[in-house]
């Protein structure tokens, strides 16, 4: 059964172009770690009494992302989460603890983990419209905040929406808050995919702490790549301290959402960051961007309606048949599917996919 499963998995992996998961990683050197119950309990910035942990690596990963996101040097914290969704939940949890009567504003293109977190946290919220490219509709946001300007505003900015990788503009959001003289506000950036590469590109870091973010969420298994889903969340340290509680059982501070956390993913992320460094990650990003451009042009020259946002590695195109969506594992919304040019995806895979679409068209013509 295991052999058959491995075989089918390899085949499925070779046809996976629709989800944002890098596949070019090699963690063989870390295989012996699987012998240990490697778990992180409590806050990574404080040793607990359980020693089989990877706090040193976890801290280094947080330091790396805090630097990438221009977090205040002496006032940042965070931890390695189970994925982008938990990172979003944590950002919103923090916002709620700071502003219990605040209203969350998020766009209709926000990831489903945002409304889910809002429900879990029992927060008040308003869904704001978005424009055709997937960016939040700033006029709509203005009107929604205006009606509630006496209450704290908690804004979720999408730094790369799930479907089109559209980025909300923090300077426009801040200017709305300023114009409406909203005294208390909190901005959480959901940068699940783009957070790990956008800041490396010239002019890409417009969403960071120096631009008004109070917390930033990113997935670890997306651009960096990991065989275990994981995420990063970076917050301000003084905000985190407001929701931390000392737990004598672990001799540490409980400042995370889950209890026992997986310690392997911190080592994977640490290993990848050490291996690639900022330069290697930038090079990977440039390769992905260039593959996205190639894909977009190849689709257009074959008369397949296509679109992609600036500095995005996600390419949209008219939805192919159900059969092809299943074969190539494509997500679809409002008649458009997307493929994501992640590290590990080759030109050959793109060409084979386009060939499939063209063959199908030919066959359909022949049938009519
Ligand atoms: C914009 C955005 N936010 C959050 C998430 C959730 O990330 P995860 O699947 O790591 O929980 C995703 C996942 O695709 C996403 O696209």
């Amino acid at each position: 059964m295991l052999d058959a499963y491995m075989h089918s998995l390899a085949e499925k992996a070779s046809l996976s172009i629709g989800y944002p998961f890098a596949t070019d990683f090699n963690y063989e050197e870390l295989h012996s770690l699987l012998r240990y119950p490697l778990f992180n309990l409590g806050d990574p910035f404080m040793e607990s009494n359980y020693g089989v942990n990877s706090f040193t690596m976890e801290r280094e990963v947080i330091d790396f992302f805090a630097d990438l996101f221009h977090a205040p040097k002496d006032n940042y914290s965070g931890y390695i989460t189970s994925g982008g969704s938990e990172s979003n939940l944590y950002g919103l949890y923090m916002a709620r603890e700071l502003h219990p009567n605040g209203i969350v504003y998020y766009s209709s293109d926000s990831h489903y983990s945002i409304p889910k977190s809002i429900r879990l946290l029992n927060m008040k919220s308003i869904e704001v419209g978005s424009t055709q490219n997937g960016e939040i509709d700033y006029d709509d946001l203005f009107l929604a905040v205006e009606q509630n300007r006496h209450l704290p505003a908690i804004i979720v900015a999408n730094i790369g929406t799930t479907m089109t990788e559209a980025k909300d503009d923090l300077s426009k959001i801040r200017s709305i808050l300023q114009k409406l003289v909203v005294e208390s506000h909190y901005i959480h950036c959901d940068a699940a995919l783009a957070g790990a590469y956008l800041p490396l590109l010239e002019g890409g870091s417009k969403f960071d702490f120096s631009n008004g973010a109070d917390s930033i969420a990113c997935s670890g298994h997306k651009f960096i790549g990991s065989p275990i889903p994981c995420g990063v969340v970076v917050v301000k340290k003084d905000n985190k301290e407001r929701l931390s509680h000392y737990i004598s059982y672990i001799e540490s501070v409980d400042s995370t959402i889950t209890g026992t956390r997986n310690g392997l993913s911190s080592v994977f992320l640490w290993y990848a960051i050490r291996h690639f460094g900022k330069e290697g990650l930038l090079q990977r990003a440039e390769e992905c961007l260039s593959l996205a451009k190639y894909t977009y042009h190849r689709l257009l020259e074959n008369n397949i309606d296509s679109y992609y946002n600036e500095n995005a590695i996600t390419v949209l195109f008219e939805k192919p048949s159900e059969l092809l969506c299943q074969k190539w594992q494509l997500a679809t919304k409002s008649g458009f599917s997307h493929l994501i040019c992640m590290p590990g995806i080759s030109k050959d895979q793109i060409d084979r996919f386009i060939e499939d679409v063209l063959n199908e068209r030919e066959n359909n013509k022949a049938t009519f």
Side-chain angles (χ1 to χ4, degrees):
M1 187 172 168
L2 199 55
D3 279 349
Y5 171 64
M6 295 283 200
H7 185 76
S8 92
L9 201 59
E11 180 158 341
K12 290 255 161 64
S14 73
L15 295 167
S16 167
I17 57 172
Y19 279 83
F21 309 142
T23 52
D24 64 341
F25 52 80
N26 181 352
Y27 294 119
E28 268 167 30
E29 205 179 335
L30 306 177
H31 283 185
S32 53
L33 290 180
L34 290 174
R35 275 192 235 126
Y36 300 102
L38 185 54
F39 304 142
N40 293 355
L41 278 65
D43 193 293
F45 290 90
M46 193 173 172
E47 284 300 323
S48 84
N49 55 15
Y50 181 69
V52 191
N53 65 48
S54 60
F55 281 143
T56 317
M57 276 92 165
E58 183 171 14
R59 284 194 291 269
E60 210 175 296
V61 176
I62 297 301
D63 290 346
F64 177 86
F65 277 93
D67 177 56
L68 211 58
F69 297 155
H70 295 130
K73 287 235 172 314
D74 51 358
N75 186 24
Y76 70 83
S77 191
Y79 73 99
I80 304 301
T81 63
S82 59
S85 298
E86 185 185 334
S87 300
N88 281 336
L89 177 62
Y90 191 68
L92 287 174
Y93 172 44
M94 185 150 292
R96 193 201 63 183
E97 293 302 283
L98 295 168
H99 306 291
N101 60 341
I103 296 189
V104 186
Y105 302 87
Y106 64 98
S107 96
S108 47
D109 272 63
S110 291
H111 184 257
Y112 65 87
S113 59
I114 299 296
K116 180 164 60 181
S117 301
I118 290 168
R119 286 195 300 277
L120 282 168
L121 294 163
N122 200 19
M123 296 169 93
K124 286 206 182 84
S125 67
I126 296 178
E127 184 182 304
V128 175
S130 47
T131 57
Q132 216 180 357
N133 77 335
E135 202 170 337
I136 197 164
D137 183 327
Y138 302 98
D139 295 335
D140 209 10
L141 178 65
F142 185 96
L143 292 175
V145 178
E146 189 178 35
Q147 281 169 14
N148 301 283
R149 60 202 291 180
H150 56 290
L151 292 173
I154 299 166
I155 315 251
V156 175
N158 296 315
I159 308 302
T161 54
T162 311
M163 209 51 207
T164 64
E165 226 188 309
K167 289 113 192 156
D168 297 341
D169 186 332
L170 248 58
S171 66
K172 287 188 185 158
I173 291 174
R174 273 189 291 119
S175 111
I176 290 173
L177 295 170
Q178 248 164 23
K179 268 193 204 139
L180 293 172
V181 204
V182 179
E183 277 174 26
S184 304
H185 50 78
Y186 184 103
I187 301 179
H188 172 73
C189 292
D190 177 4
L193 167 62
Y197 74 85
L198 201 56
L200 299 164
L201 306 177
E202 217 175 286
S205 60
K206 291 185 193 139
F207 67 92
D208 63 17
F209 285 83
S210 66
N211 285 288
D214 293 288
S215 50
I216 302 181
C218 184
S219 292
H221 58 284
K222 292 198 166 108
F223 184 73
I224 301 247
S226 155
I228 299 178
C230 54
V232 177
V233 62
V234 181
V235 297
K236 292 181 180 164
K237 187 167 162 235
D238 51 11
N239 288 343
K240 182 201 74 175
E241 276 158 9
R242 301 205 23 196
L243 51 79
S244 304
H245 306 277
Y246 181 77
I247 308 291
S248 60
Y249 171 67
I250 57 169
E251 282 181 15
S252 184
V253 162
D254 177 27
S255 57
T256 61
I257 290 195
T258 43
T260 304
R261 293 178 296 114
N262 130 38
L264 266 180
S265 47
S266 288
V267 189
F268 289 145
L269 295 182
W270 169 85
Y271 186 86
I273 285 167
R274 283 273 182 126
H275 173 76
F276 291 117
K278 276 189 187 169
E279 273 180 25
L281 290 173
L282 173 61
Q283 195 188 324
R284 270 164 101 237
E286 280 168 349
E287 282 162 14
C288 295
L289 288 166
S290 126
L291 188 61
K293 199 169 166 187
Y294 169 83
T295 306
Y296 168 71
H297 286 295
R298 282 240 43 211
L299 288 163
L300 281 190
E301 72 196 23
N302 284 294
N303 296 320
I304 303 168
D305 192 14
S306 172
Y307 173 80
Y308 79 121
N309 274 313
E310 195 193 347
N311 276 344
I313 60 176
T314 304
V315 183
L316 269 97
F317 46 88
E318 50 192 288
K319 176 186 178 288
S321 71
E322 220 34 76
L323 206 69
L324 285 190
C325 284
Q326 267 181 28
K327 175 176 173 186
W328 292 95
Q329 299 153 50
L330 305 175
T332 300
K333 192 179 166 193
S334 315
F336 275 86
S337 303
H338 69 190
L339 67 80
I340 311 183
C341 298
M342 296 305 293
I345 291 198
S346 64
K347 258 189 187 164
D348 178 57
Q349 280 169 300
I350 305 287
D351 290 343
R352 280 193 288 134
F353 164 68
I354 294 178
E355 211 175 288
D356 268 1
V357 177
L358 297 178
N359 283 339
E360 194 169 64
R361 275 193 180 174
E362 277 308 306
N363 291 342
N364 285 348
K365 260 195 229 156
T367 337
F368 282 106

